[in-house]
Each structure stands twice: as C-alpha cells, then as structure tokens.
Amino acid sequence: MIRKKVLVTGGAGFIGGNFVQYFVNKYPEYDIYNLDLLTYAGDLTKHRDIEAKNNYFFIKADIADRAEINALFEREKFDYVVHFAAESHVDRSISEPGIFVKTNVLGTQILLDAAKQINITKFVHVSTDEVYGELDFDLTTFFTEKTPLQPNSPYSASKASSDLLVRAYHETFGLPVNITRCSNNYGPYHFPEKLIPLTISRALSNQKIPVYGNGKNIRDWLHVFDHCAAIDLVFHEGLNGEVYNVGGHNERTNIEVVKTIIHLLGKSEDLIDFVTDRLGHDKRYAIDPTKLEKLGWKPTYTFETGIFQTVQWYLNNEQWWEEIISGDYKKYFEQQYGL
Ligand code: NAD
Ligand code: TDX
C-alpha cells in the first residue's frame, strides 16, 4: 500500500509540536514530515519520544524561501499539508511587525503555490480567532464563521491576510482547503512568553507576574489536545473551502487566570504586578463552535481540568522550560518588562 505523506509546518512549536506527536502516534499509516525553521519558538527536544519512529521525519526549512519550498514539494509530493508555522506572539508583532508579514503572509502564499503545483489532497490552514478583532465585554456575543474580519494587531492582520490568500486559492484555483480559527490555547510545551506558561514559570520562581492594564481583558481558553482533535476532524471530514471556528466556551478574565494558577501553586497574590497595557489590547475573544460541533467535535477538558493538568505538566518538566527561558528569551523579557 502507498503511504500518505502529511507535511506539518511549524511542528517544532507549541501547537504544531503537540499535533505532530498526536498524529505520529494515532496514524502509523501516515508518514509525518515536520518542517520547521527552528526560530526562537521552535524546539526539537520535545520530540525525543517520537524521533526514532519510522513514520516521523524532520526537515529544517524556511516557508518564506520559495526555491527551497518548491524543490521540496516537487521531490516529496506530499498528499496533505497542515500549516501551523507562523510568528505567533502579539507583543512581538507590535515591536517587530515586518517578520510577521514575511512569515505569515508570504510564507503561506509560497506554500499555497507549491501545494497547487502538486495537486494536493488537502491544505489545512491553522488560523486564529484574533482575525475577527475584538468583542465587547457584554457576554452575549460570539465570533461565528460569518463575523467580518477586523484584525487589530500586526499579528492578527498578518493571519487574516493569510486566511484571505487561502480562501482565494480555493476560489480561483479550486485548491482543497480548510481554515480553522481557534481561541487561545494552553497546555504542554507552551512557550513561556505567553500568559499561562509565563505565569506558571514566574510564580514557581517567586518572580513578579506582569498583568497588562487592569487584568479585565477576556480570553477564551482551549486545551491544546482538544485543538489537535479538532484539526484531526477537519483534516478528515472538513468540507473543502470551509472555515471552522474552534473553542470550548471557557472565557476568563486574565486576572482570573493568573489567580487560579497562583492558588494551584500555593503562591501569594502579591506576585501580581499590574503593568502598562498592551497597545491596541483586544478586549474580549469568545468563539461560537457550533459548526464544528455539528461535524462531530467536542472538547474533553474544562478550563479547571485543563489548567490543573497543565500546571502539573510544568512542575514535572521544569528542565524543559528552564532551558527555554535561560536563552535569548531572557534578554527579550528583560527588554520587554525591565524586570
Ligand atoms: P509557536 O510560536 O509556538 O510555533 C511556531 C513554529 O513555527 C515554531 O516552531 C517556529 O520555529 C516555526 N516557524 C516560524 N517561522 C518559520 C518559517 N519561516 N519557516 C518554518 N517554520 C517557522 O506558535 P503556536 O502557538 O504553536 O501557533 C501555531 C499556529 O497556530 C500559528 O499559526 C498561530 O497563529 C495559530 N494559533 C495559535 C493559538 C495560540 O493560542 N497559541 C491559537 C490559535 C491559533
Ligand atoms: O505578560 C503578559 N501579561 C498579560 O496580561 C502577557 C504575555 C499577556 N497578558 C495578557 C494579554 C492577553 O489579554 O494575557 C492575554 C493573553 O496574552 P497572550 O498569552 O500573549 O495571548 P494572546 O495575545 O491572546 O494571543 C494568543 O492567542 C491567540 C496567541 O499568542 C496567538 O498566537 C493566538 O492566535
């Protein structure tokens, strides 16, 4: 039997990394190719348990390098692409927007061209709820797939641009695509520049935890394993050209999230440090996942069970995040917060 080849971009990062492990273990009949540039956010040590498996392969490459990507697709003739690779941190997009356009917009367009050349079976583009902009604090409104795109940060604008290119390649060339738009993820291997792992790692070392503004901004949190299962379903069952929102109705203010973690770790709320707000800080995100639920998905974690599992994971994997925060990230953090 001819084996199917699945290219996963960004598989050394947080969500792509969890997805690669999930797919390698769940589908031994697929060959999984993890393509990643290994930027500051990419790390291969997380794949020690799967690197010896005969259905896992790693390719170091830049999605924004057209010649390299074209040659790779010509040689390997992938059947499927699941595209995670991106610059993903909103704060970095405020201080350095250019790389977001290069990686997220140009990189996606280069992948689409390469996929078109080899008549790919499916291209799943992993996007974000941030492309819809922000909602009011009134808790009755939600993002649906029909909500207009109104991105507010350079990060979300670059993701919305890539979404529109994916859509256009479907409309113009008939490329078999899906777009998923998920809410905030958390879980194992989350890079400690993002709120939840940052709070855990700083609380564990009794360091101040920066909370932007008054801490009342709301995010809708989903455990990364539930996001991986959602992408799995869309990959196999999604109707070509369709967008699917992913979220589990777990809205929390940032201050609630930080306090929950502090209490789980038995630390003091005195660690909380209200700092200058993020520029253009989106007030609230909240996903309506009805369309994906109708396809057969439902989350397995509540926020309470997921955050407990995640805190335990960080306690059991201190070496991983300590290595990460002792490198370039330390300099970034000092510049960002003067801490
Ligand atoms: P991440 O920053 O942890 O990982 C990104 C990965 O992409 C890294 O391994 C990095 O090395 C790689 N990469 C960056 N530039 C590259 C390039 N030019 N070529 C090849 N690889 C490159 O990001 P994440 O949080 O895992 O997010 C993955 C995807 O999911 C992104 O597209 C993001 O927009 C989307 N998303 C994230 C969240 C979230 O809460 N983190 C929620 C919804 C959607
Ligand atoms: O130190 C902090 N203090 C703080 O109050 C940081 C890093 C964040 N925050 C706030 C800002 C947000 O309201 O916490 C909230 C979450 O911030 P991030 O973890 O940076 O996530 P967010 O900006 O919401 O974006 C995330 O979810 C959507 C991912 O980084 C994106 O890649 C994804 O698309």
Side-chain angles (χ1 to χ4, degrees):
M1 199 182 74
I2 298 173
R3 294 172 65 80
K4 298 286 186 200
K5 292 186 172 186
V6 182
L7 178 72
V8 180
T9 72
F14 163 46
I15 308 174
N18 277 286
F19 183 81
V20 161
Q21 292 178 9
Y22 169 96
F23 246 47
V24 164
N25 290 319
K26 183 167 178 189
Y27 297 109
E29 67 273 30
Y30 294 159
D31 283 338
I32 312 296
Y33 293 76
N34 168 13
L35 181 155
D36 200 293
L37 184 59
L38 301 180
T39 68
Y40 81 93
D43 146 72
L44 289 178
T45 63
K46 56 170 70 90
H47 292 322
R48 276 190 196 126
D49 288 348
I50 56 164
E51 65 193 5
K53 297 215 174 200
N54 58 12
N55 66 334
Y56 172 72
F57 307 89
F58 176 69
I59 303 160
K60 183 167 184 207
D62 182 352
I63 58 167
D65 183 333
R66 192 177 293 277
E68 190 178 24
I69 294 298
N70 283 347
L72 176 71
F73 274 64
E74 265 313 304
R75 188 175 73 238
E76 297 294 347
K77 301 264 190 302
F78 301 112
D79 297 285
Y80 304 93
V81 176
V82 187
H83 176 35
F84 294 91
E87 288 293 336
S88 70
H89 192 36
V90 174
D91 291 328
R92 289 180 189 253
S93 82
I94 295 168
S95 49
E96 208 189 330
I99 186 69
F100 284 72
V101 176
K102 183 180 177 203
T103 301
N104 300 359
V105 187
L106 180 64
T108 300
Q109 192 266 326
I110 286 171
L111 288 171
L112 289 166
D113 268 347
K116 174 163 88 68
Q117 288 312 326
I118 60 163
N119 294 322
I120 204 96
T121 303
K122 177 76 93 181
F123 188 107
V124 180
H125 176 63
V126 181
S127 191
T128 168
D129 60 358
E130 297 199 19
V131 298
Y132 297 121
E134 65 176 355
L135 294 165
D136 259 329
F137 288 117
D138 145 37
L139 298 182
T140 59
T141 51
F142 296 91
F143 295 134
T144 73
E145 290 80 1
K146 292 193 165 47
T147 303
L149 304 192
Q150 281 189 315
N152 292 321
S153 71
Y155 161 70
S156 52
S158 70
K159 291 295 292 186
S161 307
S162 64
D163 287 18
L164 293 180
L165 282 165
V166 173
R167 181 184 178 280
Y169 272 65
H170 174 71
E171 295 296 324
T172 306
F173 305 113
L175 201 72
V177 305
N178 284 119
I179 297 173
T180 59
R181 296 193 179 128
C182 190
S183 59
N184 283 58
N185 280 213
Y186 66 99
Y189 300 113
H190 203 181
F191 195 89
E193 66 186 346
K194 311 280 169 59
L195 180 68
I196 285 183
L198 180 139
T199 300
I200 299 171
S201 60
R202 292 195 64 92
L204 280 173
S205 38
N206 297 309
Q207 289 176 294
K208 289 281 186 194
I209 299 159
V211 174
Y212 299 163
N214 60 14
K216 294 198 173 142
N217 298 60
I218 294 174
R219 295 294 181 265
D220 182 359
W221 293 97
L222 188 75
H223 194 285
V224 66
F225 295 169
D226 284 329
H227 188 188
C228 290
I231 296 168
D232 181 2
L233 182 66
V234 170
F235 178 103
H236 288 103
E237 307 285 341
L239 291 179
N240 286 338
E242 293 294 315
V243 176
Y244 296 93
N245 282 353
V246 191
H249 288 299
N250 286 298
E251 291 176 49
R252 298 288 184 284
T253 62
N254 292 336
I255 195 70
E256 281 172 327
V257 169
V258 169
K259 284 187 180 171
T260 301
I261 294 168
I262 285 176
H263 295 158
L264 279 173
L265 290 171
K267 299 287 180 175
S268 162
E269 287 186 12
D270 293 344
L271 290 177
I272 295 170
D273 189 10
F274 289 98
V275 298
T276 310
D277 209 352
R278 173 185 279 175
L279 290 177
H281 197 173
D282 283 338
K283 290 201 271 291
R284 171 174 168 256
Y285 305 144
I287 281 279
D288 175 352
T290 308
K291 184 173 172 183
L292 188 66
E293 284 171 352
K294 283 187 183 148
L295 200 66
W297 176 83
K298 68 173 184 333
T300 57
Y301 287 91
T302 62
F303 185 70
E304 285 63 37
T305 55
I307 198 69
F308 184 77
Q309 184 267 1
T310 302
V311 167
Q312 274 193 324
W313 186 90
Y314 276 81
L315 285 169
N316 293 335
N317 290 273
E318 219 157 323
Q319 203 190 342
W320 179 81
W321 58 263
E322 282 199 330
E323 267 171 37
I324 300 270
I325 57 178
S326 64
D328 281 355
Y329 172 63
K330 187 159 183 273
K331 277 183 251 142
Y332 164 79
F333 197 84
E334 283 164 0
Q335 277 166 7
Q336 185 81 4
Y337 304 108
L339 294 173

